[in-house]
Amino acid sequence: MVACYAAHGLALHAWSLFASMRRSCPDLAGDEFTFSALLRPPRQVGNADDAEFLLRRGALAHGLVLRLGHLADVVVATALLDMYAKYGRVAEARRVFNAMVVRNVVSWNAIIVCYGWHGEGNKDALELFRMMVRDGCCCPDERTLASVLSSSANMAAANEATQVHAYAQKRGLQGFLQVANALIMAYGKNGFVQEVKRIFAMTDNPDMVTWSSMVSSHAYLGYAKDAMHLFQRMLQQGIQPDGIAFLGVLSACSQAGLIEDGLRYFLMMTRSYLIDPSPQHLACLVDLLGRAGRIEDAYNVVVKLSSESNTDIIGAFLGACKMRGNIELAKWAADKLLRLEPREAVNYLLMSNAFAAAGAWNELAKVRSAMRNRCANKVPGCSWIEIGGTVRTFVSNDMVLHRSMEMQLMMELTISHVQKECTEDTIFEDPILIQQWQ
């Protein structure tokens, strides 16, 4: 009965029945089958309270599993690891993984997926993949490769994506649709559009995820026309687009300023395919309306179609007000952002840019003063480069990096050489531009 409830996603009922069993029959502690079913997290958790309840019950069951010696069972240990991963407890999941006596491909996949799901663990996911290959006790499968490639895409780590691709080719796993889709996204995030096209051309029977990945990758790389063309080809193939595919084509239209096309796709999404717009869709719509000069329509979207607590949509509206110089509505949007996130420096920067574009210098001074009083020092934007398989980040005039003085000297020598080689009609002959370049 416990397994039946758990298999049908009724985790709360399963735990209630297990508690009843323990109260009625204290001698029945449960066996490996009981805990492997009980600890398996449901696909959908009702709300935050339910998730917290299930996590507490899982932690208590963890102690019981240890006391009964069931952690030696690979299925029970994997279910426990998966439970912690589902609720974002990476450290606990890793402790369970490290304590496992026997590991199979499922347990390796569970810990790799766990790190891939949670931001700062992406690098660890790649390292775990290397450990799995070196260990040699079980070979990575298509799910392993798809998870690692997703981590490579999140890190913008081109070298890792290429290495995993080579491994997939060597093992004959590139033909799996799950791996092909992950390769498209990984190469797309790393800017290799030709590799994206080549993998897509080699993919048999691409599904909706494949097409959506292609559309999103081209939109991300700034190929708006190609993204729209791919979207139309997807429709011609009889593939019904989902919200992700529409988000890709809408963002492409937004970035390229294709106003009419973007509005047409938004109407197609809501009227023809009956897809409820997400905050990301609405932010694209607000940006499109702002570019078209339809500020009042954009305002109605913010007020009527979206939650006024969504900062992404309000931020897009503030950008539209900046573009059109509408100072009154810019103040309204700025006030909303201030009340929602008073300590986010990026909101103050959006507001100050809007006021500067409109020439509202008094308002700009107030925003800058509020930013100094309420926010910590602004985190500078950073760039990154991959060297020797390691992604290194740096900021402007960064003197903390190893051998930074040598890098600065090399940059100065390069600029000096370029200035000497440039002809008089190049921009480098302009002393102002030379100073800005330096």
Side-chain angles (χ1 to χ4, degrees):
M1 284 298 295
V2 169
C4 178
Y5 277 126
H8 288 81
L10 302 173
L12 296 177
H13 292 78
W15 280 107
S16 177
L17 187 63
F18 177 74
S20 298
M21 180 188 79
R22 294 278 292 162
R23 286 193 301 268
S24 302
C25 307
D27 294 335
L28 296 179
D31 57 8
E32 293 89 341
F33 180 77
T34 310
F35 289 106
S36 63
L38 196 61
L39 290 168
R40 190 71 62 185
R43 290 183 178 272
Q44 297 293 333
V45 180
N47 51 51
D49 291 337
D50 289 347
E52 186 64 27
F53 173 82
L54 292 174
L55 178 60
R56 288 199 305 268
R57 289 294 179 272
L60 291 172
H62 186 180
L64 190 57
V65 165
L66 285 172
R67 186 162 60 85
L68 296 173
H70 294 324
L71 198 61
D73 187 275
V74 65
V75 179
V76 175
T78 303
L80 185 62
L81 188 164
D82 204 26
M83 184 270 296
Y84 282 127
K86 175 76 173 181
Y87 301 116
R89 300 303 180 96
V90 181
E92 289 87 341
R94 186 58 183 266
R95 279 197 289 270
V96 172
F97 179 78
N98 291 340
M100 292 179 69
V101 179
V102 179
R103 299 168 182 156
N104 58 17
V105 68
V106 180
S107 53
W108 278 101
N109 287 350
I111 191 63
I112 290 173
V113 169
C114 174
Y115 277 111
W117 277 346
H118 304 285
E120 297 181 359
N122 294 325
K123 185 177 180 180
D124 295 293
L126 295 168
E127 183 57 35
L128 279 164
F129 173 71
R130 296 188 183 99
M131 287 174 55
M132 183 181 183
V133 174
R134 289 195 300 265
D135 186 81
C137 63
C138 52
C139 293
D141 60 7
E142 65 276 8
R143 179 175 167 82
T144 316
L145 298 184
S147 300
V148 175
L149 287 167
S150 297
S151 300
S152 301
N154 292 334
M155 288 180 63
N159 189 47
E160 277 75 7
T162 305
Q163 290 179 11
V164 177
H165 186 189
Y167 183 87
Q169 290 179 312
K170 181 179 178 181
R171 290 286 318 284
L173 297 173
Q174 185 179 341
F176 283 91
L177 196 57
Q178 189 178 12
V179 176
N181 293 343
L183 280 169
I184 289 171
M185 288 304 298
Y187 278 126
K189 286 290 182 69
N190 285 285
F192 294 100
V193 68
Q194 293 304 322
E195 282 296 320
V196 168
K197 292 179 178 179
R198 187 172 69 85
I199 293 167
F200 180 72
M202 296 171 59
T203 303
D204 297 325
N205 302 316
D207 61 1
M208 187 257 299
V209 176
T210 315
W211 285 101
S212 297
S213 300
M214 286 294 292
V215 172
S216 299
S217 294
H218 282 76
Y220 177 80
L221 296 173
Y223 296 96
K225 291 288 187 180
D226 291 339
M228 293 169 58
H229 177 67
L230 285 162
F231 187 82
Q232 290 301 134
R233 282 181 58 192
M234 178 177 66
L235 297 182
Q236 293 168 4
Q237 294 289 328
I239 305 290
Q240 182 165 333
D242 62 353
I244 297 175
F246 273 108
L247 181 60
V249 75
L250 284 172
S251 62
C253 293
S254 176
Q255 293 169 18
L258 302 173
I259 314 302
E260 296 302 323
D261 291 314
L263 295 176
R264 176 169 56 85
Y265 284 126
F266 187 86
L267 291 176
M268 181 191 298
M269 179 185 75
T270 55
R271 294 181 181 178
S272 300
Y273 292 95
L274 304 178
I275 297 175
D276 292 329
S278 69
Q280 291 79 14
H281 294 123
L282 293 175
C284 287
L285 176 62
V286 167
D287 182 70
L288 287 165
L289 292 171
R291 290 176 185 270
R294 296 163 57 177
I295 297 296
E296 292 296 332
D297 291 333
Y299 173 78
N300 289 331
V301 170
V302 176
V303 174
K304 296 179 180 179
L305 297 184
S306 69
S307 168
E308 291 188 31
S309 63
N310 190 286
T311 55
D312 291 336
I313 299 174
I314 298 174
F317 180 67
L318 183 58
C321 294
K322 170 194 169 185
M323 189 186 307
R324 294 296 167 179
N326 192 319
I327 189 64
E328 293 302 321
L329 287 178
K331 287 182 180 179
W332 175 85
D335 182 63
K336 289 282 185 187
L337 285 177
L338 270 178
R339 284 188 289 170
L340 291 171
E341 294 179 341
R343 299 191 180 279
E344 286 293 331
V346 66
N347 294 334
Y348 291 89
L349 293 176
L350 281 172
M351 289 182 266
S352 61
N353 291 339
F355 290 142
W361 307 115
N362 290 334
E363 298 293 337
L364 173 61
K366 293 177 183 177
V367 170
R368 290 288 185 178
S369 176
M371 179 179 175
R372 285 192 294 269
N373 294 332
R374 299 179 186 176
C375 300
N377 293 331
K378 185 178 92 68
V379 178
C382 65
S383 302
W384 64 86
I385 187 171
E386 186 179 351
I387 303 173
T390 302
V391 177
R392 301 176 184 271
T393 60
F394 58 94
V395 299
S396 178
N397 296 321
D398 195 337
M399 302 303 292
V400 180
L401 291 173
H402 177 57
R403 304 178 72 177
S404 59
M405 294 299 295
E406 296 174 56
M407 288 187 279
Q408 291 287 338
L409 178 60
M410 181 57 68
M411 179 61 73
E412 291 175 7
L413 290 173
T414 303
I415 293 173
S416 176
H417 179 72
V418 170
Q419 289 174 1
K420 291 178 181 178
E421 293 295 325
C422 287
T423 59
E424 293 182 358
D425 59 342
T426 61
I427 63 169
F428 293 101
E429 295 300 315
D430 187 331
I432 297 177
L433 291 177
I434 290 173
Q435 185 178 10
Q436 291 176 347
W437 175 254
Q438 290 175 331

